[in-house]
Amino acid sequence: MKLSEILQKIDENSAAKKLKNDAILKGIAPLEVASDGYLGYVDQKQYLKSLKTSKASWVLIREADLKEVPDHIEAIVVENPHLVFAKISHFFKKDEFGSLGEDAIIDPSTRIMPNVFLGKNVKIGANCVIMPGVVISDNVEIGANCVIFANVVIYRDSKIGNNIKIHAGSVIGSDGFGYAHTKEGEHIKIEHNGNVVIEDNVEIGANCTIDRAVFGETRIKFGSKIDNLVQIGHNCVVGEHSIIVSQVGLAGSTTTGRNVIMGGQAGTGGHIHIGDYVMIAGRGAVGKNLPPHTKWGGHPLMELDEWMRFYVTLRRELKNKKV
Amino acid sequence: MKLSEILQKIDENSAAKKLKNDAILKGIAPLEVASDGYLGYVDQKQYLKSLKTSKASWVLIREADLKEVPDHIEAIVVENPHLVFAKISHFFKKDEFGSLGEDAIIDPSTRIMPNVFLGKNVKIGANCVIMPGVVISDNVEIGANCVIFANVVIYRDSKIGNNIKIHAGSVIGSDGFGYAHTKEGEHIKIEHNGNVVIEDNVEIGANCTIDRAVFGETRIKFGSKIDNLVQIGHNCVVGEHSIIVSQVGLAGSTTTGRNVIMGGQAGTGGHIHIGDYVMIAGRGAVGKNLPPHTKWGGHPLMELDEWMRFYVTLRRELKNKKV
Amino acid sequence: MKLSEILQKIDENSAAKKLKNDAILKGIAPLEVASDGYLGYVDQKQYLKSLKTSKASWVLIREADLKEVPDHIEAIVVENPHLVFAKISHFFKKDEFGSLGEDAIIDPSTRIMPNVFLGKNVKIGANCVIMPGVVISDNVEIGANCVIFANVVIYRDSKIGNNIKIHAGSVIGSDGFGYAHTKEGEHIKIEHNGNVVIEDNVEIGANCTIDRAVFGETRIKFGSKIDNLVQIGHNCVVGEHSIIVSQVGLAGSTTTGRNVIMGGQAGTGGHIHIGDYVMIAGRGAVGKNLPPHTKWGGHPLMELDEWMRFYVTLRRELKNKKV
């Protein structure tokens, strides 16, 4: 569809009329990765730095930032760039199930148990077991020697490597939790058109949720082990050989290095990086980037040494005080 | 069944014999909503205030509170009113699945995928997709333009509005967690005969649990968005356009105003009200009612300003002290 | 298989050559319960005390501890006993699904709904309802009067008693989260060959996860009630009539006495014992053994009395201080 048509359909008529380069909109993307025919947006100062070198054809931008737009990108001035971007994302939404999966390519050594549902264009390698009640959506690829336990759901486009176990009830590739907000306080869904990639030798516990990326991918790297009831947000990266204990939550776009250990019920904010070999004690609440080879605990988060002393000292100090 | 028969079946023979108005028991309910033919109970002082104006025919009550019972209600004196109420709730339990759902009324534009199970008297509106492995129990109603992702389970009597997405593995309408307790420390289930109502434009993430009400309803209001692995207890109300981030837990009977935001892993006690536009930081533990337009964080909960300063000051104070 | 063959297959050739008693390895087990033909391991000083009286035929041990091995047990010296033990556990892994369950023994009064999958050698007693989408694996036994709600998954060898409800989406008997670690930081799975036992009158909420034991059993005792989204780790024991509220996590090998109450989002470390009648406030973080009839809250955990005063005093003290 031409960009002007899309803008009209979402009631951005003024922007539609002013449009100079009214070509087919090929897709939407972050400015860093957008190419010719794509549209990006700027809605925070920090995004401006990607603007000069972006290969996007158009950018949604506030009037105040207009002077920052380079000549090779057409500025589309709107009041709320994130909200308009969210609305346009709906035109690129992919169907979860295109058809009924008659075309799956499955290695004959693999065992598909009863009551399994396979979407369109599914590929499954050798020596896998796909247990009853598993639902695998369109374009999912699964490597060799995998066990997908009962009632697991794998959303479209997920890529599952080799030697992987996914325990019962886990959900891989569900929509990320992202919305733009109107002035009236309504939330407009941002369609998450990325996917989830799980590298070789990963094991995922029962009833976990791993959301797919808004663009690009959410990735669980080689050899990582994830316990039950863990939440991995959209666009997260879990580094190689990491250990994520039960009930941990990683907020969107948070990444970890290799051999990171997160104790049970720990959690993170979004857009954080946790360095290689970092250890987070159970219930630790990570709100900032953490350098490699460090240990942390508590909420607010402190280095483990400080945290171990902190409450001991406090309780001693308070002992003689009355409420 | 007549009330005397029910009392005999649960071994309350003394109460059965003393009964004056031995009519058919139509149901049980909180005193405020009970009408003619219904039975309520009082087991805490705070319930006494509903007694004067209640339209219940009978009330289960301790001997000590007997003088508070007005003339138009018959008092049934028992040692543990809550426990007797729990036992009587079993006589009003509804079946989850009455039959095999041949009578579902489904709009022809709606796509029911394979391995879906529909109970009795299910209604589904236009343009929905019900994905594989979904189980929908008796008397569930779903509006138009809904997507129910794979392996979702919707318990009996749930009412799902229009334009709703429920992601894979979520459970809507499971029994609330409520028990009465015997002197010996056993727990007697209170049957939860209410339901769940989800209003239009709500989105619910993967592997969430939303319990049905003991009486009346648990309600998620218009436009609210709920992330993955969230627990909503029985009789909760989530106000319009609220945002509930992953791994949050709302205990029973807690209600929120509109546009409330709860960060990841936050939680609440039961029977609390969170005012309009309140923001709770991630991991915030809400133990009391919160006024509108306020911001909170931490455990114990503090206003966000205090919470931001609190640990900074503490850590500075403790810096020079040794364990 | 003979022990020497197994050692060769995991590249422990030197140990294989030195082996004196090269008999069939019947199994692996903790030293306390290992019997003739079984192999145990020592990798922490605390395990040495079980060595003298163990009936194991072999023990994996570090060279430094060799002098502690009694004459009746053959020492197998390796660099990393836990890692070798993990690798050997793979030879004793049981299949999840041996066949397609034509041999299930089901009481005729029990109702098996559509889309249920039963593994081999399943037994189900009288008056149960097994709802759609339930997957029950090999050798599972279920007693009488149970309701297994939709899409529950019960892994092999689980024993479910009488009068039990398991709500939708819960997973019983998934692999425990246990790995040995190589020098390079890879994690080698320890196969969990134990099971889960659920005693009579237990109720389990929706989307819970209860892992099976590495050896022996994970056990939920008589009359306990578990809310939604609860994690019970491998080898845990939940005592009689306990109440575990939503989103609680019990780490591996933690046990509780009877009538323990754990509030929502509470958690424990592993290998802890919580005494009879202990109450843990919501979000309480249990890191040590707790004596009976005590009450606790907070993180770090304090006796409830101290915890209630602690922050009140702190906030008063800090009131006049500036950041």
Side-chain angles (χ1 to χ4, degrees):
Chain A
M1 214 180 304
K2 282 183 164 185
L3 180 51
S4 64
E5 289 175 72
I6 290 174
L7 289 169
Q8 281 159 12
K9 277 176 192 285
I10 61 171
D11 292 327
E12 293 289 343
N13 296 308
S14 159
K17 269 182 214 157
K18 289 178 189 159
L19 197 69
K20 287 172 200 158
N21 173 18
D22 186 18
I24 300 288
L25 180 62
K26 290 187 190 160
I28 58 178
L31 288 169
E32 310 86 80
V33 300
S35 57
D36 190 53
Y38 279 71
L39 172 141
Y41 78 104
V42 169
D43 113 316
Q44 300 176 45
K45 290 288 170 204
Q46 70 197 69
Y47 294 178
L48 286 171
K49 59 175 183 275
S50 307
L51 197 50
K52 298 292 177 222
T53 56
S54 173
K55 290 180 178 139
S57 296
W58 303 274
V59 64
L60 296 163
I61 199 157
R62 291 209 186 81
E63 185 133 36
D65 295 324
L66 193 53
K67 61 184 182 300
E68 307 281 350
V69 181
D71 287 345
H72 70 281
I73 302 179
E74 182 174 356
I76 301 176
V77 174
V78 293
E79 198 180 332
N80 184 339
H82 191 219
L83 178 59
V84 173
F85 194 74
K87 289 178 179 172
I88 295 177
S89 77
H90 296 211
F91 292 86
F92 294 93
K93 189 190 161 189
K94 297 181 193 171
D95 277 346
E96 193 60 39
F97 285 113
S99 69
L100 294 193
E102 299 84 357
D103 60 351
I105 300 174
I106 297 165
D107 189 279
S109 63
T110 273
R111 180 177 180 200
I112 307 285
M113 296 187 69
N115 302 336
V116 166
F117 183 84
L118 303 178
K120 201 168 110 176
N121 193 31
V122 166
K123 296 195 183 92
I124 306 178
N127 299 313
C128 295
V129 182
I130 312 295
M131 293 199 184
V134 169
V135 177
I136 297 177
S137 189
D138 291 2
N139 307 311
V140 168
E141 291 179 19
I142 297 177
N145 305 312
C146 294
V147 183
I148 311 297
F149 284 83
N151 290 349
V152 163
V153 177
I154 306 180
Y155 281 56
R156 62 160 179 68
D157 298 326
S158 301
K159 305 299 171 218
I160 314 289
N162 303 296
N163 312 315
I164 286 167
K165 287 191 172 70
I166 303 177
H167 281 278
S170 279
V171 175
I172 310 297
S174 38
D175 290 13
F177 193 65
Y179 299 87
H181 314 289
T182 69
K183 273 185 291 194
E184 294 74 25
E186 291 194 44
H187 313 298
I188 306 300
K189 184 176 179 70
I190 298 165
E191 292 294 345
H192 281 59
N193 291 320
N195 73 344
V196 169
V197 178
I198 298 179
E199 295 184 2
D200 296 354
N201 292 23
V202 165
E203 182 160 3
I204 293 170
N207 283 347
C208 290
T209 55
I210 302 182
D211 280 350
R212 69 170 177 258
V214 55
F215 304 107
E217 60 194 33
T218 302
R219 181 175 283 262
I220 313 296
K221 288 194 177 174
F222 188 92
S224 281
K225 310 298 181 187
I226 295 177
D227 201 350
N228 300 332
L229 289 169
V230 167
Q231 151 77 357
I232 307 284
H234 57 120
N235 292 79
C236 284
V237 177
V238 174
E240 296 87 344
H241 306 303
S242 292
I243 296 271
I244 310 289
V245 178
S246 181
Q247 297 179 321
V248 163
L250 263 66
S253 298
T254 283
T255 58
T256 87
R258 64 168 290 175
N259 284 85
V260 165
I261 299 175
M262 296 187 69
Q265 301 183 333
T268 77
H271 296 269
I272 282 169
H273 182 70
I274 299 178
D276 293 348
Y277 298 95
V278 167
M279 288 181 61
I280 312 290
R283 200 66 76 72
V286 184
K288 58 174 184 183
N289 294 340
L290 300 179
H293 295 281
T294 51
K295 296 180 182 181
W296 303 81
H299 179 218
L301 198 74
M302 307 178 198
E303 288 213 60
L304 201 59
D305 280 354
E306 182 185 357
W307 195 77
M308 303 285 270
R309 284 194 318 267
F310 186 76
Y311 287 96
V312 175
T313 315
L314 268 183
R315 290 168 78 177
R316 193 193 55 201
E317 295 287 319
L318 291 190
K319 223 169 195 171
N320 301 316
K321 295 191 170 146
K322 296 251 167 76
V323 183
Chain B
M1 214 179 305
K2 281 182 165 187
L3 181 51
S4 63
E5 290 175 72
I6 290 174
L7 289 169
Q8 281 159 13
K9 277 176 192 284
I10 62 171
D11 292 325
E12 294 288 344
N13 296 307
S14 159
K17 271 181 211 156
K18 289 179 189 159
L19 197 68
K20 288 172 199 159
N21 173 19
D22 185 19
I24 300 288
L25 180 62
K26 289 187 189 160
I28 58 177
L31 287 169
E32 311 86 80
V33 301
S35 57
D36 189 52
Y38 278 71
L39 172 141
Y41 79 103
V42 169
D43 118 313
Q44 300 177 45
K45 289 289 169 202
Q46 71 198 66
Y47 294 179
L48 286 171
K49 59 174 184 276
S50 308
L51 197 49
K52 299 292 175 222
T53 56
S54 174
K55 291 179 179 141
S57 295
W58 303 274
V59 63
L60 296 163
I61 200 157
R62 292 209 186 81
E63 184 134 34
D65 295 323
L66 192 53
K67 61 183 182 301
E68 307 280 351
V69 182
D71 288 344
H72 69 282
I73 304 179
E74 181 173 357
I76 301 175
V77 174
V78 292
E79 199 181 330
N80 184 337
H82 192 219
L83 178 58
V84 173
F85 194 74
K87 289 178 179 171
I88 295 178
S89 76
H90 296 212
F91 291 85
F92 295 94
K93 189 189 161 188
K94 297 180 191 171
D95 277 347
E96 193 61 37
F97 286 113
S99 69
L100 293 192
E102 299 84 355
D103 60 352
I105 300 173
I106 297 164
D107 189 280
S109 62
T110 273
R111 181 178 179 198
I112 307 286
M113 296 188 69
N115 301 336
V116 166
F117 182 85
L118 303 179
K120 201 168 110 178
N121 193 30
V122 166
K123 296 195 182 92
I124 305 179
N127 299 313
C128 295
V129 182
I130 313 295
M131 293 198 184
V134 169
V135 177
I136 296 177
S137 190
D138 291 4
N139 307 312
V140 169
E141 292 179 18
I142 297 177
N145 305 312
C146 293
V147 183
I148 312 298
F149 284 82
N151 289 349
V152 163
V153 177
I154 305 180
Y155 281 55
R156 62 160 180 69
D157 299 326
S158 301
K159 305 300 171 215
I160 314 290
N162 303 295
N163 312 313
I164 286 167
K165 287 191 172 69
I166 304 177
H167 281 279
S170 280
V171 175
I172 310 298
S174 39
D175 289 15
F177 194 65
Y179 300 88
H181 314 290
T182 69
K183 273 185 290 194
E184 294 73 27
E186 291 193 45
H187 314 297
I188 305 299
K189 184 176 179 72
I190 297 165
E191 292 295 344
H192 281 60
N193 291 320
N195 73 344
V196 170
V197 178
I198 298 179
E199 295 185 1
D200 296 353
N201 292 24
V202 165
E203 182 160 4
I204 294 170
N207 283 346
C208 291
T209 54
I210 302 183
D211 280 351
R212 70 170 176 258
V214 55
F215 303 108
E217 60 192 34
T218 302
R219 181 175 283 262
I220 313 295
K221 288 195 176 173
F222 187 92
S224 281
K225 310 298 180 186
I226 295 177
D227 201 350
N228 300 332
L229 290 169
V230 167
Q231 151 77 357
I232 307 285
H234 57 119
N235 292 79
C236 284
V237 176
V238 173
E240 296 87 344
H241 306 303
S242 292
I243 296 271
I244 311 289
V245 178
S246 181
Q247 297 179 321
V248 163
L250 262 66
S253 299
T254 283
T255 59
T256 88
R258 65 168 289 176
N259 284 86
V260 165
I261 300 175
M262 295 187 70
Q265 301 183 332
T268 76
H271 297 271
I272 282 170
H273 182 70
I274 299 178
D276 293 348
Y277 297 96
V278 167
M279 288 181 63
I280 313 289
R283 201 67 77 73
V286 184
K288 58 174 184 182
N289 294 339
L290 301 179
H293 294 280
T294 51
K295 296 181 183 182
W296 303 81
H299 179 218
L301 199 74
M302 306 177 198
E303 288 214 57
L304 201 59
D305 280 354
E306 182 186 356
W307 195 78
M308 302 285 270
R309 283 193 319 267
F310 186 76
Y311 287 95
V312 175
T313 314
L314 269 183
R315 292 169 76 178
R316 192 193 56 202
E317 295 288 318
L318 291 190
K319 224 171 195 169
N320 301 318
K321 295 191 172 147
K322 294 253 166 76
V323 182
Chain C
M1 214 179 304
K2 282 183 164 184
L3 180 52
S4 64
E5 289 176 73
I6 290 174
L7 289 169
Q8 280 161 14
K9 278 176 191 284
I10 61 171
D11 292 326
E12 293 289 342
N13 296 308
S14 159
K17 270 181 213 157
K18 290 179 190 159
L19 198 67
K20 288 172 201 160
N21 172 19
D22 187 18
I24 300 288
L25 180 62
K26 289 187 189 160
I28 59 177
L31 288 169
E32 311 87 80
V33 299
S35 56
D36 190 53
Y38 279 71
L39 171 141
Y41 78 104
V42 170
D43 115 315
Q44 301 177 45
K45 289 288 170 204
Q46 70 197 68
Y47 294 178
L48 287 171
K49 58 175 183 276
S50 308
L51 197 48
K52 298 293 175 221
T53 56
S54 175
K55 291 181 178 138
S57 296
W58 304 273
V59 63
L60 296 162
I61 200 157
R62 291 208 186 81
E63 185 134 34
D65 296 323
L66 192 53
K67 60 182 185 301
E68 308 279 353
V69 182
D71 287 343
H72 69 280
I73 303 179
E74 181 174 355
I76 301 175
V77 174
V78 293
E79 198 181 331
N80 184 339
H82 192 220
L83 179 59
V84 174
F85 194 75
K87 289 178 179 171
I88 295 178
S89 76
H90 296 212
F91 291 85
F92 295 94
K93 189 189 160 189
K94 297 180 193 172
D95 277 347
E96 192 61 38
F97 285 112
S99 69
L100 293 192
E102 300 84 356
D103 59 352
I105 300 174
I106 296 165
D107 189 279
S109 62
T110 273
R111 180 178 181 197
I112 307 286
M113 296 187 69
N115 301 335
V116 166
F117 183 85
L118 304 178
K120 201 167 109 178
N121 194 30
V122 166
K123 295 195 183 91
I124 305 179
N127 299 313
C128 295
V129 181
I130 313 296
M131 292 196 184
V134 168
V135 177
I136 297 177
S137 190
D138 291 3
N139 308 311
V140 168
E141 292 178 19
I142 297 177
N145 305 314
C146 293
V147 183
I148 312 297
F149 284 83
N151 289 349
V152 163
V153 177
I154 306 180
Y155 281 55
R156 61 159 180 70
D157 299 326
S158 302
K159 305 299 173 217
I160 314 290
N162 304 296
N163 312 316
I164 286 167
K165 288 191 171 70
I166 304 177
H167 280 278
S170 280
V171 175
I172 310 298
S174 38
D175 289 13
F177 194 65
Y179 299 88
H181 314 289
T182 68
K183 273 185 292 195
E184 293 74 27
E186 292 193 42
H187 313 297
I188 306 300
K189 184 176 179 72
I190 297 165
E191 292 294 344
H192 281 59
N193 291 320
N195 73 344
V196 169
V197 178
I198 298 179
E199 295 185 1
D200 295 354
N201 291 25
V202 165
E203 181 159 3
I204 293 169
N207 283 345
C208 290
T209 54
I210 303 183
D211 279 352
R212 69 170 177 256
V214 54
F215 303 108
E217 59 192 38
T218 302
R219 183 176 282 263
I220 313 296
K221 289 194 177 173
F222 188 91
S224 282
K225 310 298 181 186
I226 295 177
D227 200 350
N228 300 332
L229 290 169
V230 167
Q231 151 76 358
I232 307 285
H234 57 120
N235 292 77
C236 285
V237 176
V238 173
E240 297 87 343
H241 306 304
S242 291
I243 295 271
I244 311 289
V245 178
S246 181
Q247 296 179 321
V248 163
L250 263 66
S253 299
T254 283
T255 58
T256 86
R258 64 166 290 176
N259 283 86
V260 164
I261 299 175
M262 297 188 68
Q265 300 183 334
T268 76
H271 297 269
I272 282 169
H273 182 70
I274 299 178
D276 293 349
Y277 298 95
V278 167
M279 289 181 60
I280 313 289
R283 201 67 76 74
V286 184
K288 57 175 184 183
N289 294 340
L290 301 179
H293 294 282
T294 51
K295 296 182 181 179
W296 303 81
H299 179 219
L301 198 74
M302 307 178 198
E303 288 213 59
L304 201 60
D305 279 354
E306 182 186 356
W307 195 77
M308 302 285 270
R309 285 193 319 266
F310 186 76
Y311 286 95
V312 175
T313 316
L314 268 182
R315 290 168 78 177
R316 193 193 55 200
E317 295 287 318
L318 290 190
K319 223 170 195 170
N320 300 317
K321 294 191 172 147
K322 293 252 166 75
V323 182

